[in-house]
């Protein structure tokens, strides 16, 4: 558990992190949450108006497969179009999927909002549900998985190829294995300040909201890459091999109605 909490803090929490009530988010607080205690809502924007964690929500009642497809489009574009580190993927324990982006250096809130909005505008169709969502969805505060929801289901990080199996029910009926949660995040890296600036410039150029920068143009075609697993193209064999490479023994949901 200690290693998992350390990795979550490395990726998504800032020094002196507080929750929305102004209380410190300490390793002890997170340990209680991971063990099934109350979920902590972390305040991701510091007193200087900066953030290092960007979270996009894809969901709502119904349309699970469509929302998963939208997440896949953004996640693949982040890696293969913008050349950024792989994001994390989670299920909310309610009705949504989340995509998690980590920065090693906090950026002003206005830049973070613009970055997320441009990701939506550039890589999703104009009819997408997420385009009508608040520009700062879960940017200023968020529950960090894994955590137990009041409904009795768990929010958790998942393998990025398994989201379709949660399209109708983005939550777990039992606590996720902590070694698997660790396996999903310990290899992730935060984007550097230079990577963020470059990606923002590319997005601005493509959207026509800033003078052109000396970067390659963005294309909506998402070419295959051996660097990572394309979310929608993962076979069961792909997923099992990916998990075994990280010493995670796969378990699969099976419910009898």
């Amino acid at each position: 558990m200690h290693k998992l909490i350390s990795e979550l803090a490395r990726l998504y929490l800032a020094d002196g992190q507080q929750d929305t009530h102004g209380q410190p988010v300490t390793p002890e607080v997170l340990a209680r949450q991971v063990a099934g205690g109350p979920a902590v809502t972390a305040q991701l924007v510091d007193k200087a108006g900066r953030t290092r964690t960007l979270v996009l929500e894809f969901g709502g009642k119904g349309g699970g497969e469509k929302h998963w497809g939208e997440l896949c489009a953004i996640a693949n574009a982040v890696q293969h179009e913008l050349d950024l580190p792989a994001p994390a993927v989670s299920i909310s324990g309610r009705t949504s999927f989340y995509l998690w982006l980590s920065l090693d250096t906090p950026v002003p809130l206005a830049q973070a909002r613009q970055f997320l909005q441009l990701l939506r505008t550039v890589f999703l169709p104009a009819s997408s549900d997420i385009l009508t969502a608040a520009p700062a969805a879960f940017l200023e505060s968020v529950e960090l998985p894994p955590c137990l929801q009041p409904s009795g289901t768990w929010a958790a990080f998942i393998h990025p190829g398994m989201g379709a199996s949660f399209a109708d029910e983005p939550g777990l009926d039992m606590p996720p294995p902590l070694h698997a949660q660790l396996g999903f995040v310990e290899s992730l890296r935060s984007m550097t300040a230079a990577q963020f600036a470059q990606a923002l410039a590319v997005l601005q150029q493509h959207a026509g909201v800033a003078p052109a920068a000396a970067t390659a143009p963005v294309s909506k075609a998402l070419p295959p890459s051996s660097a990572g697993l394309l979310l929608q193209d993962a076979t069961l064999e792909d997923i099992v091999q990916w998990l075994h490479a990280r010493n995670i023994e796969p378990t699969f949901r099976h419910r009898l109605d």
Side-chain angles (χ1 to χ4, degrees):
M1 181 184 295
H2 174 75
K3 177 63 173 173
L4 172 60
I5 291 171
S6 175
E7 289 298 304
L8 295 177
R10 174 182 68 83
L11 289 166
Y12 306 119
L13 300 180
D15 292 338
Q17 184 74 52
Q18 295 184 337
D19 65 15
T20 52
H21 301 291
Q23 299 301 308
V25 180
T26 64
E28 292 76 20
V29 168
L30 289 177
R32 288 195 293 271
Q33 170 186 294
V34 170
V40 178
T41 303
Q43 180 66 40
L44 300 180
V45 182
D46 64 21
K47 294 181 180 179
R50 302 170 303 173
T51 184
R52 65 176 299 250
T53 303
L54 312 181
V55 184
L56 275 170
E57 180 189 18
F58 301 79
K61 290 292 185 181
E65 291 185 5
K66 178 183 178 183
H67 297 141
W68 177 247
E70 292 170 344
L71 181 147
C72 291
I74 295 290
N76 283 315
V78 162
Q79 297 172 82
H80 304 304
E81 296 289 343
L82 300 178
D83 199 27
L84 294 174
V89 179
S90 74
I91 48 178
S92 69
R94 296 188 178 98
T95 61
S96 301
F97 300 102
Y98 294 149
L99 193 67
W100 297 74
L101 299 167
S102 171
L103 299 90
D104 65 5
T105 303
V107 298
L109 180 59
Q111 278 192 350
R113 288 183 186 223
Q114 184 186 43
F115 184 86
L116 291 182
Q117 188 60 35
L118 287 174
L119 279 179
R120 296 171 170 133
T121 301
V122 171
F123 295 113
L124 293 182
S127 61
S128 172
D129 294 341
I130 197 173
L131 290 173
T132 65
F138 285 102
L139 179 62
E140 299 187 22
S141 60
V142 68
E143 293 174 348
L144 191 63
C147 61
L148 180 63
Q149 301 293 0
S151 63
T153 58
W154 282 80
F157 291 104
I158 63 171
H159 177 272
M162 296 183 67
S165 66
F166 294 98
D168 296 327
E169 188 181 350
L172 294 175
D173 299 329
M174 59 186 68
L178 296 186
H179 72 281
Q181 292 293 284
L182 174 60
F184 293 142
V185 299
E186 65 180 345
S187 64
L188 299 179
R189 296 293 175 262
S190 301
M191 70 179 85
T192 66
Q195 286 176 319
F196 176 81
Q198 173 75 1
L200 180 59
V202 170
L203 290 170
Q204 290 170 335
Q205 177 186 353
H206 187 87
V209 298
T215 57
V218 175
S219 166
K220 288 193 179 182
L222 302 178
S225 170
S226 60
L229 187 64
L230 290 177
L231 298 174
Q232 287 179 306
D233 295 340
T235 66
L236 180 60
E237 182 179 0
D238 290 331
I239 294 168
V240 170
Q241 288 180 349
W242 190 95
L243 293 172
H244 282 167
R246 289 157 178 79
N247 295 317
I248 302 171
E249 188 60 34
T251 57
F252 298 96
R253 302 171 81 217
H254 180 71
R255 187 174 69 181
L256 296 176
D257 294 322

